[in-house]
Amino acid sequence: MNVLVFNSGSSSVKIRLFQMPEERLLAACQVEKIGQPDATFSHGEIEKVISAPDHTAAISYICNHLNLSPNDIAAVGHRVVQGGEKFIEATPITPHVEKEIDALKAFAPLHTPPNIAGIQAGQTIMPHATHVAVFDTAFHQTMPEHAYRYAIPTIYYTRDHIRRYGFHGTSHRYVSERASEILGHPFTGITCHLGNGCSITAIKNGQSVDTSMGFTPLEGVAMGTRSGDIDPAVVLNLAQKLGIKETDHLLNRESGLLGLSEKSNDLRELLASAQEGDTKSQLALNIFSYRITKYIGSYLAILGPIDGIILTGGIGENSPDIRQQILANLTHLGICLDLTKNTACIGQENTISIETSPIKIFVIPTDEERLIARQTYRLTANASMHS
Ligand code: ADP
């Protein structure tokens, strides 16, 4: 059975084609700059400018390029960023479900409209396939109320649904399921997804019990361009001076590594400039690592004994320097990094703690699309068994 996975952003769509249940990746391609005159299609070495005024045109182009007839595709899994409290697991998309996703757009105004555009384009092109929504927030719906509520008057939760939702759920679930497989029992520990966006999750017996991102992906550790945790009074102060819109832009797009270094949001560039003696870049890296260590400490406190810590995402998978900065001084907590294994581990799965470390440290490359394909396949196979 062939399953397509769609990841639709405001001006891009990434598509993966999997053969299931083997989880064999058959194709990976994308269209960027949708809606612009220089929309670009890429597939491996191939890169060309195409006409893609909207998501439907982009997806049609990809299907034609891959020579896919709509009948070749049994199911399509769609990444959906915000599922609110309604969606606690992957869900087949019906007109009612689509309406419910649309109703959540006030919570994710940048992500929901393109997610819906991708769903509608997919349904138009492949009307006979089963379409499944896989939510970034669903994995975190197991958090207890004392973890997901903010200490503001209750009415803002009951009426306005202001609470911690958490994001990157598909990635945290993927790497923790992989760790459960390695360990032979459900994983208890801390997963660190460190990419352009970063989030840390506390996991007990395979279930999320707390996570650093909150009502939006702005909360938590410092990120490429996002501030992460900040005294709310600073936000009020900034909003008074700059206005709401400018403050939003400042905290989401101009802060984090970029704001501190005044140079770049790309960790590789900051490592290089810090090496050359740039003190702002070094401070940005120090703040970045320090805050992640602080989250790890707080999650150790709430979890009790744990199996391990998992690092993933572009930074977690590829940067021994940052991993060392985050973890090197935690031996008193039973977290014993093996410096040689750490240096040797770039972009592949490995255990990088010493043999005798009470808490294991794993590097596990994430694969959100594979998990979306897996969940989509499961739902589709189940539905066809019961029909
Ligand atoms: P996204 O969150 O957009 O999916 P990624 O998971 O690809 O992003 O992570 C991007 C980050 O990973 C960037 O800060 C980049 O500098 C960093 N990164 C990628 N490769 C390396 C590397 N070899 N060493 C250090 N950092 C890296």
Side-chain angles (χ1 to χ4, degrees):
M1 178 193 280
N2 286 339
V3 170
L4 272 179
V5 174
F6 284 16
N7 186 348
S8 306
S10 56
S11 63
S12 71
V13 57
K14 291 184 194 141
I15 289 193
R16 299 274 185 280
L17 175 63
F18 284 92
Q19 183 183 316
M20 303 301 285
E22 300 82 0
E23 296 189 2
R24 196 152 74 86
L25 179 64
L26 302 176
C29 33
Q30 57 196 2
V31 175
E32 284 164 305
K33 301 193 188 171
I34 293 173
Q36 294 178 35
D38 57 342
T40 309
F41 166 78
S42 52
H43 178 203
E45 302 290 294
I46 304 168
E47 192 173 307
K48 55 181 162 187
V49 172
I50 62 164
S51 162
D54 55 27
H55 283 75
T56 309
I59 292 165
S60 288
Y61 186 92
I62 292 176
C63 290
N64 285 338
H65 171 86
L66 295 177
N67 241 340
L68 289 176
S69 109
N71 298 330
D72 293 339
I73 304 298
V76 184
H78 298 265
R79 177 180 181 215
V80 178
V81 167
Q82 178 56 276
E85 292 185 313
K86 288 255 158 60
F87 297 107
I88 60 170
E89 58 188 6
T91 307
I93 302 171
T94 60
H96 176 71
V97 166
E98 198 178 312
K99 242 192 219 149
E100 302 251 26
I101 295 171
D102 189 57
L104 293 164
K105 68 172 173 255
F107 291 174
L110 296 180
H111 292 102
T112 301
N115 290 166
I116 296 221
I119 290 171
Q120 289 175 343
Q123 286 172 330
T124 306
I125 297 164
M126 284 160 282
H128 302 300
T130 304
H131 292 263
V132 172
V134 180
F135 301 92
D136 274 15
T137 46
F139 182 57
H140 300 300
Q141 279 296 308
T142 47
M143 284 187 291
E145 192 165 5
H146 58 256
Y148 71 68
R149 285 283 299 278
Y150 292 115
I152 57 175
T154 298
I155 182 75
Y156 293 96
Y157 170 61
T158 49
R159 187 190 59 199
D160 301 334
H161 311 288
I162 293 178
R163 51 159 284 178
R164 176 183 312 286
Y165 289 102
F167 297 87
H168 289 145
T170 310
S171 176
H172 291 291
R173 188 197 296 270
Y174 178 83
V175 296
S176 70
E177 282 185 2
R178 178 68 195 123
S180 301
E181 241 172 61
I182 297 169
L183 293 163
H185 62 257
F187 175 73
T188 292
I190 300 165
T191 49
C192 307
H193 178 106
L194 310 178
N196 278 316
C198 300
S199 64
I200 319 289
T201 296
I203 294 179
K204 198 160 210 162
N205 295 321
Q207 297 199 322
S208 170
V209 293
D210 202 354
T211 192
S212 61
M213 282 179 169
F215 180 59
T216 75
L218 185 54
E219 193 182 349
V221 295
M223 312 177 208
T225 63
R226 297 186 198 129
S227 64
D229 296 338
I230 191 166
D231 180 344
V234 174
V235 183
L236 300 176
N237 184 289
L238 289 171
Q240 245 164 6
K241 281 198 282 258
L242 305 173
I244 299 284
K245 216 168 150 206
E246 205 34 48
T247 304
D248 180 73
H249 187 79
L250 178 92
L251 295 171
N252 273 296
R253 306 251 175 226
E254 294 176 351
S255 297
L257 293 174
L258 175 65
L260 287 162
S261 68
E262 298 180 326
K263 213 176 206 105
S264 172
N265 63 336
D266 188 305
L267 191 97
R268 278 166 295 196
E269 287 178 30
L270 297 184
L271 285 166
S273 56
Q275 190 81 37
E276 286 159 12
D278 184 74
T279 51
K280 286 184 191 155
S281 299
Q282 187 59 59
L283 179 67
L285 295 172
N286 292 351
I287 291 175
F288 180 76
S289 306
Y290 172 77
R291 291 187 171 199
I292 296 168
T293 307
K294 260 187 16 175
Y295 261 98
I296 290 174
S298 67
Y299 288 169
L300 275 172
I302 61 163
L303 283 170
I306 67 169
D307 299 313
I309 293 174
I310 305 175
L311 296 126
T312 193
I315 296 171
E317 292 163 27
N318 295 303
S319 178
D321 290 331
I322 290 296
R323 292 194 301 244
Q324 182 172 342
Q325 235 185 311
I326 296 168
L327 296 167
N329 297 315
L330 302 181
T331 44
H332 62 294
L333 296 172
I335 301 165
C336 310
L337 186 69
D338 184 318
L339 294 180
T340 313
K341 284 187 195 161
N342 180 40
T343 308
C345 177
I346 296 179
Q348 84 271 39
E349 182 178 299
N350 227 323
T351 306
I352 56 167
S353 43
I354 62 170
E355 284 299 324
T356 53
S357 180
I359 293 173
K360 302 214 172 326
I361 309 169
F362 303 107
V363 173
I364 301 181
T366 195
D367 195 339
E368 289 156 287
E369 285 83 9
R370 187 173 297 270
L371 186 65
I372 293 174
R374 195 180 293 165
Q375 297 200 326
T376 301
Y377 171 75
R378 257 187 224 148
L379 276 176
T380 310
N382 274 346
S384 55
M385 251 169 48
H386 292 113
S387 63

